[in-house]
Amino acid sequence: KYDICDYEDLIWYEEGYTIDPELEQTLAVAMKKMDSWKNDDFYAELCRKGAKHCLLWLASQNDYDGITMCDRYWDKMFTDIEQNMDSFGRYYTLFCLKKNNDRLLHMSRALVINDDLYNRIRKTADQKENEKESNEKECEK
């Protein structure tokens, strides 16, 4: 019925694929929750210290609670952060996530590696947030 219907399939997402709506909404809710982690002092401190420090932190986190990926994905991630510090937020939240079950591990790995998937879930999460704000404004009237 859908191209992507399970956490294990997320890594294979390509633009134009269909995702089970329940899975997509679950990912969007998780992304908004993880976004709130960027409001903490530790994240701000890492960002102030610059890209090199952020990259070292990511590498140290991977030793503890790793996302298995080949060197080309690490290189891409490092290049993203060096060229645009704002991209660190994406990786920070996913490396902070406790990956204590297979679903979380598959989700975090796919969102780190797969830009198309990340962009789609980011768009869904932002739309969900905009709808929530719009509904709240309607209730205030």
Side-chain angles (χ1 to χ4, degrees), residues 2-6 9-10 12-14 17-20 23:
Y2 301 102
D3 298 310
I4 306 296
C5 56
D6 195 317
D9 301 330
L10 291 170
W12 306 114
Y13 175 81
E14 293 181 20
Y17 278 20
T18 57
I19 300 177
D20 178 287
L23 177 59

Side-chain angles (χ1 to χ4, degrees), residues 103-116:
R103 286 181 172 183
L104 292 174
L105 184 58
H106 289 301
M107 177 190 79
S108 58
R109 183 171 184 262
L111 288 170
V112 165
I113 291 173
N114 189 326
D115 290 340
D116 289 337

